[in-house]
Amino acid sequence: MAQTTVVGYPLTPDLLKELDLLQGFPPTPNDFDPEGTWTNTYRIMTCHGYRESGNDDRGYLKLTRTPTGETFQLTVDQKIVNREAALHLYHAEITCLNTPCASPTAWTLSCRFVGPDGRPRTELDLDETGQTDGDTVQILTNGIERTCEGQITGDWCLFEAVQRLPFKPTDPIVFDLLEGLSTLKPDHRLSYRGLDAGLHQFYQIGHGVFPYEYWLDEGHRLLMVATGARTYILDEDAESRTAVEEESGKSKYAQLKQSPQ
Amino acid sequence: MPNILLILTDQQHLDTISAAGNPDIKTPALDRLKQRGTLFTQSYCPNPVCGPSRASIFSGRTASETGVITNGKSIRSDIPNLGEWMSEHADHESIYAGKWHVPASYTHFIPGFTVLQTGIGGQGNLGDTAVSRACEAYLHNRTSDDAPFFLVASFLSPHDICEWLRINTYNPDQLRYPELADQLPPLPDNFKYDTREPEYTAGNRKRRDPHHGNWDETQWRYYIWSYYRHVEMVDAEIGRVLHAVHASGQMDDTVVLFTSDHGEGLGHHQNVRKNNLYEEALAVPLMVAHPGYLPEDVTDTTHLTTGLDIYPTICDFANITPPDHLRGRSLKPLLEGQANRWHNHVVCESNRNRGRMVRTPRYKYIAYAEDPVDQLFDMENDPGETKNLSADPEYAPIVQEHRDRLKSWESQLEVAPDLPYADAWWR
């Protein structure tokens, strides 16, 4: 039977190391330039609240930044492994401004599902395009349009933006969050907190989310993000980390398919 | 024949809809749904634990009848779940996305349903988006030739508060985000409570995180603030699904039902989580909307409703006869203003068949098997349940009336075999 000692405190890099869920971060290359071209891949690790068990790698988030003159392109790939190996996949191409919160001006996003048998669930395909015009955001989902209003940025965009912010207290950066480039959550603020265990920290509070905390090294590379029970941890092997959960889920599915409960 | 959309959340307190008067939360999607339909405020879950409540919602029978008196059990094989009944008798395509928990939390194999998407146990913050996106895709990609749908969108949040409680158990030295100090919601009016309680209720509180973590007032209020953010998260996912119904031109042809499997302590009686028989764990939001057909922007504060009403209501909207022995009533005649009679009491079960709650329009009675302390509350003058009247001789006739009602209710039930406390005084 799994041990059940509560974690007790909010998730930080030091706590994750204490729980043996984080061995360390990959070294930041000397030529890492937050305003240049880079790829960061994060394992998405979720905490069930116990020290000994229930803390799993549920997916990965891969971000690639490519400068394009006065803007930059942010390529996003995210994979989440749901129970019985039901995969939820996102791919997005986002054109962003070099503003403090990396404001997106136009994007495409595809949402895909894959079943535990490896078969793409094409009947659940969603394709979106979006663009901003001042405060107006227009989104087309499978050809159906909707609009919303706000000075927006996306959660994925903020993973890029924090790397370009100065490590000093300033007035909070205010924005409306377009989460997943889809769901508007207004009235957010991003602030610099200072050093925490040798890493620079920003935090974000706003409507509709649990606070986000961002940890960066002296080279301004984003090493870890925590929001509630969910963490993003920089890891060059992130894409392979979900293999155990996937195989376990497929096995469970196959077992149930033979003998449903 | 209307489509039917049933939206379920997990562990949602009744007082978490901004349009219903909570100033500390913003729930635009639930607000819009309230404006398009009826919100029932005297609505009770059948059981304050996930699996037993969900089994009752999807079977229309009590936990003592389904046999699902705790998590991890299956509904008795001779009781058809709502998907099985609809698949056999209705024209609708029965579709499911999200949390099931009878017994598996998430599975592709739910009898009677085609499952679009599972989710992630304990992580509504991740899995609920997959649920809403799958529902969105299903709704967008339907054609006019398709059969009407019965779609269940079952979200996990705000149940993630359970993970929050384990991650934030210990009282920190100071508020983690100091600027929140003047934004934290107040403690509930019934934070202090009458300590004359059943032993189980008192013991349950001592096993919980605030007791272990030595919480002060700030930590309590930070917990409430955090819970409201979890509700806002699921509100956004609900909004995605509702928008998809609307944008695909199906809103006027769709009945939308919304409820939760049970409530959340939220500091009332210094409780967190659920698994007790106070209002905070039992009372849940219930909304029904069918724009153009049913009254809109109504708040019903009078009629007692229960999660057991969901099954007959859906059968009624689908124009099919429900199975025998359902314990609830269809809400449709009530919504249409044509109900000649209605529940004069509702009953909730709890704690592995040990606890019972009887709610009448004025009073609420709570009893546990093998516990000498029972509770009676005057819900009209003491809605916060702060004064236990059960030992007051003046209220003895009312206590007896409620005990008699419970016995009468129990006498009709076809209980599952081998239940604990099967010989309690009410049986």
Side-chain angles (χ1 to χ4, degrees):
Chain A
M1 189 173 173
Q3 293 297 304
T4 55
T5 312
V6 297
V7 170
Y9 297 98
L11 303 178
T12 62
D14 278 353
L15 180 57
L16 292 190
K17 287 176 185 172
E18 184 184 315
L19 299 176
D20 205 24
L21 297 172
L22 169 64
Q23 281 69 49
F25 298 107
T28 297
N30 290 335
D31 61 351
F32 176 76
D33 178 8
E35 297 186 14
T37 301
W38 49 258
T39 296
N40 288 346
T41 308
Y42 300 90
R43 36 187 284 240
I44 302 176
M45 199 279 294
T46 58
C47 177
H48 196 41
Y50 297 111
R51 291 181 167 249
E52 303 89 348
S53 61
N55 306 313
D56 304 313
D57 283 295
R58 302 301 327 190
Y60 70 82
L61 172 65
K62 182 176 178 181
L63 302 171
T64 299
R65 184 186 195 275
T66 308
T68 51
E70 291 187 3
T71 62
F72 65 88
Q73 195 78 359
L74 190 66
T75 302
V76 178
D77 285 286
Q78 179 174 285
K79 174 179 172 181
I80 303 295
V81 182
N82 290 275
R83 290 291 184 214
E84 292 181 8
L87 305 182
H88 181 205
L89 308 170
Y90 276 129
H91 176 80
E93 299 282 351
I94 314 169
T95 301
C96 302
L97 298 175
N98 283 297
T99 55
C101 60
S103 313
T105 59
W107 62 88
T108 61
L109 180 141
S110 68
C111 172
R112 299 285 186 266
F113 293 91
V114 178
D117 53 6
R119 183 181 72 84
R121 301 286 303 273
T122 55
E123 72 276 20
L124 299 179
D125 285 354
L126 285 167
D127 290 288
E128 287 184 348
T129 61
Q131 60 183 24
T132 59
D133 181 7
D135 283 1
T136 300
V137 183
Q138 182 188 64
I139 299 172
L140 275 173
T141 304
N142 285 15
I144 297 175
E145 180 184 319
R146 62 186 169 97
T147 59
C148 56
E149 300 280 327
Q151 284 284 328
I152 63 142
T153 188
D155 43 336
W156 296 317
C157 304
L158 288 168
F159 279 50
E160 187 280 338
V162 290
Q163 296 187 147
R164 292 184 288 109
L165 296 177
F167 288 156
K168 62 181 182 181
T170 59
D171 289 339
I173 297 167
V174 296
F175 54 90
D176 301 306
L177 183 70
L178 192 69
E179 188 177 71
L181 296 174
S182 173
T183 311
L184 185 68
K185 299 186 172 181
D187 302 325
H188 281 242
R189 293 180 302 174
L190 179 67
S191 306
Y192 178 69
R193 177 174 266 171
L195 279 169
D196 178 29
L199 297 175
H200 293 272
Q201 196 190 30
F202 291 86
Y203 69 102
Q204 171 193 343
I205 295 177
H207 165 75
V209 302
F210 199 69
Y212 278 75
E213 297 186 357
Y214 304 83
W215 284 270
L216 298 92
D217 63 14
E218 286 294 336
H220 286 259
R221 195 177 192 195
L222 179 62
L223 302 180
M224 179 170 146
V225 181
T227 174
R230 184 169 88 243
T231 59
Y232 299 81
I233 302 168
L234 186 69
D235 189 323
E236 290 161 344
D237 297 324
E239 293 183 56
S240 65
R241 290 267 196 174
T242 60
V244 170
E245 186 61 37
E246 280 188 68
E247 285 311 307
S248 167
K250 286 178 182 175
S251 174
K252 179 75 175 178
Y253 174 84
Q255 177 190 345
L256 288 171
K257 193 171 182 183
Q258 276 209 315
S259 341
Q261 290 183 332
Chain B
M1 186 63 58
N3 302 307
I4 301 168
L5 170 62
L6 172 61
I7 300 173
L8 277 176
T9 59
D10 197 317
Q11 202 153 327
Q12 186 164 352
H13 190 276
L14 171 65
D15 185 23
T16 50
I17 299 174
S18 43
N22 189 328
D24 298 308
I25 197 171
K26 292 179 186 171
T27 55
L30 290 173
D31 291 356
R32 282 194 295 275
L33 185 61
K34 178 186 178 300
Q35 287 164 0
R36 302 305 306 272
T38 295
L39 166 67
F40 292 93
T41 63
Q42 303 290 315
S43 176
Y44 290 86
C45 67
N47 192 299
V49 173
C50 304
S53 184
R54 288 164 180 271
S56 288
I57 290 170
F58 282 98
S59 68
R61 309 287 290 271
T62 67
S64 55
E65 292 184 294
T66 64
V68 185
I69 60 170
T70 186
N71 289 337
K73 293 183 177 293
S74 301
I75 298 172
R76 249 166 67 184
S77 59
D78 59 330
I79 297 177
N81 78 45
L82 187 49
E84 291 172 306
W85 194 257
M86 289 283 284
S87 292
E88 189 175 348
H89 299 279
D91 296 330
H92 296 66
E93 183 184 35
S94 295
I95 309 291
Y96 202 100
K99 183 178 178 181
W100 172 237
H101 213 173
V102 198
S105 291
Y106 291 94
T107 181
H108 288 88
F109 302 97
I110 301 176
F113 288 100
T114 299
V115 176
L116 291 182
Q117 177 60 213
T118 58
I120 304 173
Q123 302 295 333
N125 66 93
L126 261 187
D128 283 351
T129 302
V131 171
S132 71
R133 281 292 199 178
C135 292
E136 180 186 32
Y138 171 79
L139 291 164
H140 274 312
N141 297 341
R142 285 171 51 80
T143 70
S144 56
D145 294 333
D146 290 332
F149 63 78
F150 166 43
L151 171 62
V152 181
S154 180
F155 297 106
L156 180 56
S157 285
H159 185 283
D160 281 4
I161 194 65
C162 292
E163 278 68 27
W164 187 97
L165 283 162
R166 289 191 285 266
I167 290 170
N168 292 274
T169 301
Y170 301 114
N171 199 10
D173 294 332
Q174 61 183 17
L175 194 58
R176 191 166 182 84
Y177 312 102
E179 70 249 55
L180 293 181
D182 60 352
Q183 298 176 37
L184 299 182
L187 293 177
D189 291 341
N190 59 355
F191 185 76
K192 292 186 178 172
Y193 56 95
D194 187 333
T195 55
R196 203 172 75 82
E197 292 178 311
E199 176 189 310
Y200 178 86
T201 307
N204 191 43
R205 186 183 294 104
K206 284 185 184 169
R207 287 188 291 272
R208 294 303 189 192
D209 320 79
H211 182 79
H212 290 294
N214 196 28
W215 284 15
D216 60 9
E217 178 179 330
T218 299
Q219 183 72 350
W220 273 106
R221 294 171 65 198
Y222 177 50
Y223 144 70
I224 298 170
W225 180 91
S226 300
Y227 177 77
Y228 288 155
R229 305 290 81 73
H230 288 92
V231 175
E232 289 174 348
M233 288 161 68
V234 76
D235 180 78
E237 304 302 340
I238 290 169
R240 192 198 311 279
V241 177
L242 292 177
H243 183 270
V245 176
H246 175 75
S248 56
Q250 298 171 96
M251 190 53 123
D252 290 345
D253 299 326
T254 302
V255 178
V256 181
L257 300 98
F258 165 80
T259 193
S260 192
D261 60 352
H262 54 75
E264 160 63 35
L266 217 52
H268 298 267
H269 305 97
Q270 294 182 40
N271 278 321
V272 300
R273 304 173 192 262
K274 56 272 191 181
N275 210 6
N276 65 73
L277 291 169
Y278 285 117
E279 291 290 277
E280 55 265 27
L282 292 183
V284 291
L286 169 64
M287 292 197 278
V288 185
H290 191 190
Y293 293 89
L294 295 176
E296 299 187 23
D297 206 11
V298 174
T299 301
D300 185 317
T301 61
T302 306
H303 294 94
L304 293 171
T305 59
T306 160
L308 296 170
D309 296 333
I310 298 288
Y311 197 132
T313 301
I314 288 176
C315 289
D316 203 351
F317 279 111
N319 200 28
I320 60 172
T321 303
D324 293 334
H325 308 305
L326 294 191
R327 304 305 173 195
R329 293 177 185 269
S330 171
L331 294 162
K332 189 167 179 281
L334 185 65
L335 291 160
E336 293 170 340
Q338 295 175 9
N340 292 326
R341 61 190 186 101
W342 192 247
H343 297 305
N344 53 25
H345 66 269
V346 294
V347 174
C348 301
E349 302 180 355
S350 75
N351 307 107
R352 298 173 185 253
N353 204 40
R354 190 178 176 195
R356 293 290 188 272
M357 186 283 289
V358 183
R359 177 75 158 93
T360 53
R362 173 90 184 254
Y363 292 97
K364 178 176 176 182
Y365 177 70
I366 295 170
Y368 284 83
E370 301 174 5
D371 195 312
V373 180
D374 53 6
Q375 294 171 298
L376 178 75
F377 297 106
D378 178 347
M379 300 303 287
E380 187 176 302
N381 294 307
D382 179 26
E385 302 169 286
T386 62
K387 188 176 178 189
N388 183 1
L389 303 171
S390 69
D392 186 334
E394 180 184 340
Y395 291 89
I398 296 178
V399 169
Q400 190 59 51
E401 177 205 333
H402 285 72
R403 290 167 70 99
D404 291 342
R405 282 183 186 269
L406 180 57
K407 284 184 184 175
S408 174
W409 166 265
E410 292 283 331
S411 67
Q412 68 174 329
L413 301 182
E414 299 173 346
V415 298
D418 302 323
L419 290 179
Y421 304 107
D423 59 351
W425 61 261
W426 49 75
R427 299 273 333 145

